[in-house]
Amino acid sequence: EAGVAQSPRYKIIEKRQSVAFWCNPISGHATLYWYQQILGQGPKLLIQFQNNGVVDDSQLPKDRFSAERLKGVDSTLKIQPAKLEDSAVYLCASSLVDLRHLNTEAFFGQGTRLTVV
Amino acid sequence: KQEVTQIPAALSVPEGENLVLNCSFTDSAIYNLQWFRQDPGKGLTSLLLIQSSQREQTSGRLNASLDKSSGRSTLYIAASQPGDSATYLCAETNNAGNMLTFGGGTRLMVKP
């Protein structure tokens, strides 16, 4: 079974530039998450999709971050314009159904490491 | 707001030692708790998932326990090996929300 795919693996941009990350979840997984992991910290949820609808985006800085999941499969996360403090690893995860279902796990991709200079 | 804390933040042990990693959470309305491993520059690998109705789960040399009443989970690693060196993260799912809330992680170094 293929895992969660993310690209690119690494990205270096200057502040005020824009950047986009792509995620392809495990086939058939309805729920998709984007997490931000700052160095030395645990991941923090940015946005969560159920199929192509947003379930929770309360921690997404909407003035500069946006995300979409067209057709309920792949997803893109965009930052425009980027700030220095956006330097982090952006992790995509997926789960078959809601995590509150019995024995449902979240599976993570390798992440995209963003450096803003 | 749920909070998840992991202590210690870093741990160094000699090879062969048994060790315990701690995870505490503030919200008793936990639905499940998941332990992950993260290698440098990599994503998260799921190790064990414990439902709130369970007390523990085992996989090989790993054993995770859950005590809802005290708000704690522990990950026990038996006979540690240098290959166990990584960051270990715990994350809870709360009954109110379909998301993982993570602790800060414990960075483990097992010395040969």
Side-chain angles (χ1 to χ4, degrees):
Chain A
E1 177 184 83
V4 177
Q6 290 189 245
S7 67
R9 289 294 315 278
Y10 307 93
K11 191 74 177 179
I12 301 174
I13 62 172
E14 295 182 351
K15 59 183 179 183
R16 291 187 289 274
Q17 285 187 325
S18 61
V19 64
F21 312 128
W22 173 83
C23 172
N24 181 230
I26 293 173
S27 178
H29 279 198
T31 311
L32 185 147
Y33 316 79
W34 283 101
Y35 282 84
Q36 179 193 57
Q37 186 178 24
I38 293 172
L39 186 65
Q41 299 181 17
K44 183 187 78 172
L45 180 73
L46 291 175
I47 188 167
Q48 176 192 318
F49 293 92
Q50 185 72 19
N51 297 308
N52 61 350
V54 175
V55 174
D56 184 351
D57 64 355
S58 58
Q59 299 187 75
L60 187 74
K62 298 181 186 65
D63 58 333
R64 298 184 301 105
F65 286 64
S66 65
E68 60 182 10
R69 191 184 184 196
L70 300 176
K71 301 180 182 178
V73 181
D74 294 3
S75 177
T76 56
L77 175 69
K78 297 179 182 178
I79 307 175
Q80 181 180 9
K83 293 184 175 181
L84 296 177
E85 58 261 36
D86 298 332
S87 295
V89 176
Y90 291 84
L91 294 162
C92 179
S94 70
S95 60
L96 182 62
V97 289
D98 187 314
L99 289 177
R100 290 167 293 183
H101 282 68
L102 194 64
N103 295 326
T104 299
E105 295 180 47
F107 296 89
F108 282 77
Q110 298 255 33
T112 296
R113 181 177 298 277
L114 173 67
T115 302
V116 182
V117 298
Chain B
K1 177 185 174 184
Q2 303 97 300
E3 286 190 13
V4 181
T5 305
Q6 292 186 250
I7 295 174
L11 181 64
S12 180
V13 300
E15 182 177 4
E17 198 165 289
N18 301 325
L19 56 100
V20 174
L21 306 181
N22 296 297
C23 172
S24 61
F25 45 91
T26 56
D27 197 330
S28 61
I30 184 173
Y31 186 78
N32 62 41
L33 189 133
Q34 202 167 349
W35 281 93
F36 294 89
R37 168 182 173 141
Q38 186 173 33
D39 292 283
K42 300 289 181 66
L44 278 64
T45 301
S46 179
L47 297 173
L48 289 164
L49 171 69
I50 311 176
Q51 302 290 151
S52 62
S53 58
Q54 298 172 323
R55 281 206 167 273
E56 63 179 68
Q57 283 283 358
T58 298
S59 175
R61 293 182 294 108
L62 305 179
N63 175 277
S65 67
L66 177 64
D67 184 342
K68 283 180 58 178
S69 61
S70 66
R72 293 188 180 189
S73 176
T74 61
L75 179 66
Y76 175 83
I77 303 177
S80 58
Q81 302 170 359
D84 295 330
S85 298
T87 296
Y88 291 81
L89 294 150
C90 67
E92 65 141 4
T93 298
N94 184 275
N95 282 337
N98 174 30
M99 58 175 274
L100 291 166
T101 300
F102 282 88
T106 294
R107 193 169 64 255
L108 173 66
M109 172 74 73
V110 180
K111 298 180 179 178

